[in-house]
Structures are given as C-alpha cells and as structure tokens.
Amino acid sequence: MRKRSRHTLNTSESTGKIGQEIPSNQLRPLVPLYPDEPSAANPQQHPSRPDRQPKQQQPVRQQWNVPPGSGRFEMETQPEMPTMTPPAPEAGSTTKAPKGYVVLAIGLPGSGKTTWFQRRGVTPLSSDLLRNILFDDVEEQRYQGLVFSTLRSLLRARLIAKMPWNYVDATNLSIHERRQWIKMSQSFGYEVHGVFFDVPLEVCLERNRSRDRMVSEEVMRKMAEKLKPPVFEEGFAKITVVRVKSAN
C-alpha cells in the first residue's frame, strides 16, 4: 500500500511558497550547504505537551554593543530617510576601496522593507519583480527555486558590470540565507551592508492583515523564530537598524 506523503509548512522565502504545505516527494530547490554553519538550535525549545499550551515569547530586541573597529553601525527610525551616498574614505587610510556596495534588506513581511526602498527611489532585486517579469503574475508561486536562482544570477550580472549600488529585497531571515549573497558579493570585491528592520512581530502582523497577499499568522510566527539579527562577523561592513518611531 502506497504511503501518503508528509507535508510541512514552508517558512523560507527563498526556498518555496511561504505558508503552503510542500509534499515530501516534491523536488526542492538546490541550497548550498556550509558545514561550518553554527547551530541554530534553541535550547529553550521543548517538546509540546497536550496539557500545556506553548507560551508566546516576547521578541528580544537586540542590544547593539558594537566592538570598536568591527564595522559601521547606524540606527534610524521609520519613516526618516537618511541618504545612501557612499561613505567618504578616511584621510590616510590604506584600506583598498571596494568596487561597490551590496545592500541586503533583513526583516519579516510587513516590517517595511519595500516601503524603505520606495522612499529612496530604489528598485531593488526582488522576487515580486521577477515573478512579474517571468510569469506576468506577482502571485505565481510554482517556481520559487527558479525565481531565487535567477535573482542571484541578476546580482552576479550587476557585479560583473561593476554597478556601484545593488539592493536585494528579501526576508533574509537566517545567517545561512544571507551567506549566499555575502560570499558572492565579497568574491567580486564588493562591500556588503545590512539593513535590519527590527520591527516588533505584532506590528508586522497588523500590517500583514491589511495586505492583499496576506501571510498566515502561524507562518509569520514561525518566521519570527527563524529571524536572526545580522552581525559583523557574517561579513557585513555596515549595519543599519530600522525601528518604528515611538508614539511618545
């Protein structure tokens, strides 16, 4: 008797349809494996018990105590718009200037990534843009592996063409997902900047509910568990943290 295929929810933007069940017998996109990847296991997670409901943890906001000389760090609040001009070289610096810059957006759906680019008049490389170009349908989700492999190929083409500024609009939740972009950029001599949208999950959920293409709350919460703030040790030369402006 043929066994039924097991299904799991997909919470990675770069490997499949977010929030949809993926059969175990379906071919998945190729994802590079990096054996030196640090373990992402959370020691606080325990097997669920039927007599106990899991507690909803409040998101811990990153305390950015940056060691001197580790990289450039900036903080901004939505909807302010600092300029994105290249930093001026320091006087007497012997460091070789980068060929250009790759800016990675990092954050949950609804955290304000797309709006951040729009306010700067930037058209980033994004999966939505590619779906429109390839399939004339921004909601086409059958070829996610093709979409993101093409997205990486487009960035590579821009780096070969020596384009000075390059932007990637994706969730980039984990260190593993970001590493692919960082290694490619550095191999071409480009400096990598991270823009981390440190927006509370509840704010993202509220914004998500008003969207035409809404991600389920269950998937949003699973994505929030996967989200790791960027650190300079990943290869970022500059990190900008974007937070919502306080109502007070």
Side-chain angles (χ1 to χ4, degrees):
M1 183 176 179
R2 187 175 182 180
K3 294 182 180 180
R4 295 181 59 189
S5 61
R6 300 180 64 182
H7 297 73
T8 56
L9 281 178
N10 191 339
T11 58
S12 174
E13 180 184 61
S14 63
T15 57
K17 186 175 181 181
I18 295 177
Q20 298 298 312
E21 293 182 343
I22 298 182
S24 59
N25 59 358
Q26 176 178 321
L27 294 178
R28 295 173 181 269
L30 295 177
V31 178
L33 175 64
Y34 301 98
D36 59 337
E37 181 70 15
S39 173
N42 185 351
Q44 296 180 349
Q45 291 180 347
H46 303 280
S48 58
R49 292 173 49 183
D51 58 340
R52 248 173 146 179
Q53 293 295 328
K55 294 182 180 179
Q56 293 184 2
Q57 298 181 352
Q58 293 296 326
V60 179
R61 306 199 78 178
Q62 178 80 14
Q63 299 300 316
W64 299 93
N65 298 320
V66 182
S70 59
R72 299 194 301 282
F73 179 86
E74 290 185 1
M75 183 79 72
E76 66 175 85
T77 54
Q78 299 174 348
E80 294 175 4
M81 301 186 299
T83 59
M84 289 293 292
T85 53
E90 297 180 2
S93 175
T94 58
T95 304
K96 186 178 179 180
K99 293 181 179 178
Y101 305 88
V102 174
V103 181
L104 298 183
I106 302 162
L108 295 171
S111 60
K113 301 185 299 299
T114 301
T115 302
W116 189 88
F117 286 119
Q118 289 174 345
R119 284 182 174 141
R120 287 157 179 77
V122 171
T123 302
L125 299 177
S126 73
S127 57
D128 285 350
L129 173 66
L130 271 186
R131 290 188 193 98
N132 266 330
I133 293 173
L134 296 175
F135 315 116
D136 300 324
D137 184 1
V138 71
E139 297 188 10
E140 173 58 69
Q141 299 284 344
R142 291 175 297 173
Y143 307 103
Q144 286 292 86
L146 175 61
V147 168
F148 277 88
S149 63
T150 305
L151 203 62
R152 287 187 286 272
S153 295
L154 284 177
L155 176 61
R156 182 181 179 87
R158 288 182 61 87
L159 301 183
I160 292 173
K162 300 181 180 179
M163 301 302 292
W165 281 98
N166 306 273
Y167 302 87
V168 179
D169 182 7
T171 55
N172 291 314
L173 299 176
S174 68
I175 293 174
H176 177 74
E177 291 175 359
R178 298 192 288 262
R179 178 174 290 191
Q180 300 176 60
W181 301 105
I182 293 171
K183 293 186 76 170
M184 180 195 298
S185 304
Q186 290 179 336
S187 70
F188 280 88
Y190 276 66
E191 188 173 282
V192 186
H193 297 178
V195 182
F196 176 51
F197 293 79
D198 187 19
V199 179
L201 173 59
E202 296 306 319
V203 173
C204 295
L205 286 171
E206 182 179 352
R207 293 174 177 176
N208 178 63
R209 294 185 191 106
S210 63
R211 288 179 160 188
D212 294 332
R213 295 183 297 122
M214 186 175 64
V215 180
S216 74
E217 182 170 331
E218 177 188 3
V219 172
M220 287 282 288
R221 293 190 181 278
K222 288 183 179 295
M223 294 177 76
E225 293 175 2
K226 291 178 59 178
L227 178 60
K228 302 296 182 185
V231 293
F232 290 112
E233 288 77 6
E234 294 180 60
F236 291 106
K238 175 182 175 182
I239 295 174
T240 299
V241 178
V242 181
R243 290 175 174 165
V244 291
K245 187 176 292 186
S246 173
N248 297 333

